Amino acid sequence: MVVAFRYPSLIVWAPRNSGNNGGTNNLPPVLFHQVHGDNIRISRDGVVARRAESFCKGVTFTNRPIKISEKVYVKFLDVSNNWSGVIRFGFTCNDPSNLRHALPKYACPDLTNKAGYWAKALAERFCERDTVLFYYVTHAGDVHFGINGEEKGIFFSGVETRGQLWAMIDVYGNSTAIELLDARHQLNNSRRSLPVSSGDVSPDVDRLIMPSMAALSIQSSPRIEDVSEQVPPPPRFQQPGAHFSPLPFHRTRGRNVRLSNDRCIASRIDTEFCQGYVFTARPVQLGERIVIQILATEPMYLGALALGLTSCDPSTLQSCDLPDDSDLLLDRPEYWVVSKDVANCPQRGDELAFCITHAGEVQMSKNGGPPSVLMHVDQSLTLWAFLDVYGSTQKIRVLGSSIIEPPRPVCSSPAPVVPSSSRALRVSLPEPGRCAEVVQLGNGVGGGTVLVVNLPPPSTPAPTPALAPAPTSSATLLSTYSHTYIEPVSQSYSTLDSPGMREWAETSVSAPAGSECSICYERTIDSVLYMCGHMCMCYDCAVQQWRGKGGGHCPLCRAVIRDVIRTYKS
């Protein structure tokens, strides 16, 4: 049977028994169960539950099972400021009558750690006096909730719906008194007390329906890509005239994060605290400085933004592949590194700058301050940066990126030109009176990577023949991915004739005399592994180890072999 209230240009349909709403019209009102926590006092014929003392032992249940899609309406009657946290609500498939002497202090986690209990804490900002919360469960086990008639979405999932379910509410923390409202009054579809005459509706109908109709709003379901934005604050801590290249987020993201249309703003869903993963749309470069701005925070959550790097292409991932805890990413087969809580106590407008140096250091600076090292990474890999917008960090914006020029290595003479596809081992002498660094990484001409080995100054300069050309101060061994080898100029090693230099070179650069390959034990060691620098194999065995026979890893430190450089003794 269907009843229609007729109003000029308006018809309000009110089904007497709606199967879509779980048949809530013909069900008795929902009251509190007589079984409840020790600090709960039930009043007003079972519709009001008030916690008498403390902040816990406030677990309550409904007096009857709740139907699928039947909404449970809860009104906050009294809210305190003396505690932290507010109600926890959900469902249980255990009959409360059997729990009379077995109720713990808390619903979460004391009950939710047991089978048959599902509940979660409400965000504290939703708990205000006279606010009306509603929630219900679907056939799929998803619990939806809303505030003051506005649907907020899925609160949590995983409820077993094949049996009876009682609503469970823990009157916890600052929520000290709540009231169960009759769903039939909330739906405004009961006309037992509404006299209807032929023609226009009576003044009573006008008085009751019109305020409800005025409060209605038509809202379309927001797209996942659409984020309602306030005007972001302008950058305050960047150098005047700083230019940023666009660096949007990748389309792959965590299930609880939304992206703006330009994919430069990431916002986590209000009711969630994790699964806020966002990735850069492309791999990051060495020396690239990425600036992130904090747009919104939520102090009720712990933790504040995680930064990580991975060799995994985000386009190969799905939301279900990403765990709630970013530490679990380290168990994946790809290369993953992560640092949590990089934004300590974030505030709206804070600016965080991240950079991977050419030495593999991941540096971060906050609000233009001095950089600090967060971690070290393998800079030889292709790496995507990712952020987990979790905890107190609610919304972020990527301002863009800029390239920082790497420092050039200091050499006593110009370096020889090498092909761009080569990597070079350069042996050079420092300037007199200058302390030598044994190993230094730099960029070669055309983009090649140069390993610079600075030799200490000799105690006595080696004599130079009068007619011989002046010796150069560096020699370069080139190794490409082929077997190409360029013989160095012999005069480059003339400084090794001094006793001090020869002794240092034999112990620091070349392998010990008479040492054998650690693989075949037949040939002498005549190669060095790039990038770890270990000298432990002959050239033939090293190439086989590099090309997959040994998994492409150094047998000593298990580092990835990027190249094999052949060495020669003078």
Side-chain angles (χ1 to χ4, degrees):
M1 179 179 179
V2 176
V3 178
F5 298 132
R6 191 173 298 276
Y7 204 77
S9 303
L10 175 67
I11 296 180
V12 180
W13 295 97
R16 297 292 291 272
N17 189 358
S18 173
N20 293 334
N21 291 325
T24 57
N25 288 344
N26 57 359
L27 293 173
V30 177
L31 306 175
F32 285 109
H33 201 282
Q34 59 182 352
V35 174
H36 49 72
D38 294 341
N39 291 334
I40 289 295
R41 305 293 182 264
I42 305 298
S43 61
R44 286 178 49 185
D45 298 327
V47 298
V48 172
R50 184 179 299 274
R51 197 179 68 248
E53 57 186 22
S54 187
F55 64 95
C56 57
K57 296 185 179 180
V59 179
T60 64
F61 305 93
T62 55
N63 65 330
R64 63 168 177 83
I66 302 299
K67 299 290 186 180
I68 299 297
S69 298
E70 178 185 358
K71 293 182 178 179
V72 178
Y73 288 87
V74 180
K75 182 178 180 180
F76 295 104
L77 294 182
D78 196 3
V79 177
S80 171
N81 294 321
N82 298 328
W83 313 100
S84 297
V86 290
I87 67 169
R88 286 87 164 101
F89 61 90
F91 293 93
T92 178
C93 62
N94 299 299
D95 189 343
S97 300
N98 300 326
L99 305 175
R100 188 176 303 275
H101 303 292
L103 285 182
K105 290 183 177 181
Y106 316 104
C108 301
D110 293 349
L111 289 179
T112 53
N113 282 340
K114 300 179 181 179
Y117 296 92
W118 304 272
K120 185 179 173 182
L122 180 69
E124 197 162 356
R125 64 181 179 276
F126 292 133
C127 181
E128 296 181 358
R129 184 181 176 88
D130 294 331
T131 295
V132 177
L133 159 76
F134 69 86
Y135 72 99
Y136 60 95
V137 63
T138 65
H139 282 283
D142 298 329
V143 176
H144 295 248
F145 86 111
I147 299 293
N148 292 332
E150 179 183 356
E151 186 89 25
K152 293 294 185 180
I154 297 179
F155 193 54
F156 61 89
S157 303
V159 177
E160 176 58 61
T161 59
R162 288 180 292 183
Q164 290 184 322
L165 291 173
W166 285 261
M168 176 175 62
I169 305 173
D170 187 357
V171 188
Y172 176 86
N174 285 329
S175 52
T176 56
I178 60 174
E179 178 185 1
L180 290 177
L181 302 181
D182 193 339
R184 294 169 297 182
H185 293 289
Q186 300 302 312
L187 292 173
N188 194 25
N189 60 2
S190 175
R191 65 186 294 270
R192 280 182 241 180
S193 60
L194 300 179
V196 179
S197 60
S198 59
D200 292 342
V201 293
S202 67
D204 290 336
V205 176
D206 188 32
R207 176 176 57 84
L208 292 175
I209 292 182
M210 288 308 296
S212 299
M213 295 303 297
L216 291 179
S217 61
I218 300 176
Q219 297 182 349
S220 60
S221 178
R223 296 184 305 160
I224 191 67
E225 298 287 345
D226 185 21
V227 183
S228 59
E229 303 294 346
Q230 299 177 354
V231 178
R236 296 183 300 161
F237 303 100
Q238 305 306 312
Q239 295 181 356
H243 175 71
F244 293 107
S245 300
L247 183 62
F249 293 118
H250 200 280
R251 295 187 182 276
T252 300
R253 60 182 181 271
R255 65 172 181 269
N256 293 331
V257 71
R258 298 174 294 176
L259 299 178
S260 59
N261 292 329
D262 60 0
R263 304 207 311 273
C264 289
I265 296 179
S267 175
R268 197 182 70 245
I269 297 175
D270 292 346
T271 57
E272 301 294 340
F273 69 94
C274 63
Q275 277 288 340
Y277 296 103
V278 286
F279 297 81
T280 54
R282 59 167 173 79
V284 296
Q285 306 175 39
L286 296 182
E288 183 176 13
R289 181 172 174 267
I290 303 172
V291 182
I292 301 294
Q293 186 181 45
I294 307 296
L295 295 183
T297 60
E298 177 50 70
M300 69 170 292
Y301 294 121
L302 297 177
L305 197 68
L307 168 70
L309 292 142
T310 178
S311 63
C312 179
D313 188 341
S315 60
T316 63
L317 296 173
Q318 299 180 356
S319 297
C320 58
D321 298 327
L322 302 173
D324 290 349
D325 188 349
S326 58
D327 282 339
L328 299 180
L329 290 170
L330 306 182
D331 297 332
R332 292 183 57 88
E334 307 92 358
Y335 180 86
W336 294 82
V337 290
V338 64
S339 178
K340 288 185 173 180
D341 300 333
V342 294
N344 187 21
C345 300
Q347 302 295 327
R348 174 178 165 84
D350 283 351
E351 297 171 17
L352 308 176
F354 306 99
C355 175
I356 306 177
T357 68
H358 290 260
E361 293 181 345
V362 180
Q363 297 181 350
M364 187 201 80
S365 62
K366 183 176 181 180
N367 295 336
S372 59
V373 178
L374 295 179
M375 52 189 166
H376 293 76
V377 297
D378 184 355
Q379 73 273 30
S380 65
L381 301 176
T382 300
L383 298 175
W384 283 261
F386 70 91
L387 296 162
D388 187 5
V389 188
Y390 85 106
S392 59
T393 308
Q394 193 80 28
K395 184 186 299 184
I396 63 173
R397 173 174 66 149
V398 56
L399 297 179
S401 67
S402 59
I403 299 296
I404 303 175
E405 291 295 332
R408 296 185 178 273
V410 178
C411 301
S412 57
S413 65
V417 178
V418 298
S420 61
S421 61
S422 302
R423 293 187 174 93
L425 173 64
R426 180 183 303 151
V427 183
S428 62
L429 292 175
E431 298 176 1
R434 179 176 179 142
C435 296
E437 295 180 1
V438 176
V439 178
Q440 183 177 357
L441 285 176
N443 286 344
V445 178
T449 303
V450 179
L451 178 64
V452 180
V453 181
N454 293 327
L455 301 181
S459 57
T460 303
T464 303
L467 299 178
T472 59
S473 60
S474 65
T476 304
L477 297 178
L478 297 182
S479 174
T480 65
Y481 290 103
S482 66
H483 292 285
T484 304
Y485 172 71
I486 302 176
E487 184 70 21
V489 181
S490 60
Q491 286 84 351
S492 301
Y493 292 90
S494 61
T495 55
L496 296 178
D497 294 337
S498 63
M501 282 299 299
R502 182 175 300 278
E503 180 182 357
W504 184 92
E506 289 179 353
T507 57
S508 300
V509 179
S510 62
S515 59
E516 296 178 340
C517 172
S518 60
I519 301 297
C520 65
Y521 291 96
E522 295 177 358
R523 294 178 290 270
T524 59
I525 296 174
D526 62 349
S527 64
V528 59
L529 302 182
Y530 180 85
M531 293 178 57
C532 65
H534 280 124
M535 301 178 65
C536 57
M537 291 177 286
C538 66
Y539 183 77
D540 293 338
C541 291
V543 171
Q544 293 180 12
Q545 187 84 1
W546 168 37
R547 293 182 175 176
K549 184 176 180 180
H553 296 83
C554 172
L556 297 183
C557 66
R558 306 305 299 166
V560 176
I561 302 175
R562 311 301 298 180
D563 203 349
V564 175
I565 303 173
R566 193 163 191 171
T567 60
Y568 293 83
K569 295 182 181 179
S570 59

